Amino acid sequence: MSRITLIRHGESAFSFSGIVRADDFTDITESYDSSSIVGVPPLDAVAMSREYCSVVRSDLARSHVSAMALGIDEIHVSDKLFNEIAIPHFSNGSLALPTGLWPVLLHGLWLFGFSNNGESFANARWRAGQVVCRLMELSDE
């Protein structure tokens, strides 16, 4: 019987701090997506990673660094299909809020249909189904 274990990437090195305007959020999103990780993985995650036959990860930098931190030498699949949901955001606007509040606000708007510059809720659900199918295929291999 195959076993699939999901491990989230390590804590992002990107710090959500300060006050930013809506039109700055594109830069913040790009910085977050290209950020690395801080700290070391938990010992139980490192131990589990030694049991893996096949490793799948997103194509984000922190996913790559997380795999290296776990001591994983061989990645079998690296694909944006496995990326986090791209939370939508505004392209312009002068509303200024604390950086850490923006993801909460934008996630709430996303649940109600807002999808500018990001992934719609419907597409995220569809992609989640594709992830499940792909993981099942890989598990059968």
Side-chain angles (χ1 to χ4, degrees):
M1 181 170 140
S2 298
R3 182 176 80 182
I4 297 173
T5 304
L6 302 177
I7 299 178
R8 192 170 191 273
H9 61 75
E11 180 184 349
S12 173
F14 181 81
S15 175
F16 285 98
S17 62
I19 305 284
V20 294
R21 294 177 358 166
D23 56 2
D24 294 329
F25 211 80
T26 297
D27 293 337
I28 290 170
T29 300
E30 289 171 5
S31 295
Y32 176 70
D33 281 347
S34 63
S35 68
S36 186
I37 62 168
V38 296
V40 296
L43 293 177
D44 58 338
V46 174
M48 265 194 284
S49 70
R50 294 198 172 29
E51 300 172 14
Y52 300 150
C53 297
S54 182
V55 175
V56 176
R57 69 170 184 85
S58 76
D59 69 352
L60 295 173
R62 63 186 162 274
S63 179
H64 173 72
V65 175
S66 293
M68 290 186 340
L70 288 167
I72 297 171
D73 297 324
E74 185 179 357
I75 304 296
H76 297 85
V77 177
S78 176
D79 193 323
K80 69 179 182 176
L81 176 69
F82 301 104
N83 286 9
E84 297 174 8
I85 295 167
I87 297 296
H89 55 278
F90 301 102
S91 298
N92 52 44
S94 59
L95 177 64
L97 295 171
T99 308
L101 185 57
W102 278 111
V104 175
L105 173 66
L106 294 171
H107 183 79
L109 291 172
W110 176 74
L111 291 172
F112 288 101
F114 179 66
S115 63
N116 293 4
N117 303 308
E119 183 174 20
S120 70
F121 184 78
N123 192 73
R125 287 185 63 143
W126 174 85
R127 190 165 56 91
Q130 296 301 303
V131 166
V132 169
C133 289
R134 183 69 174 121
L135 289 175
M136 290 173 62
E137 288 171 6
L138 291 168
S139 177
D140 288 342
E141 291 174 15

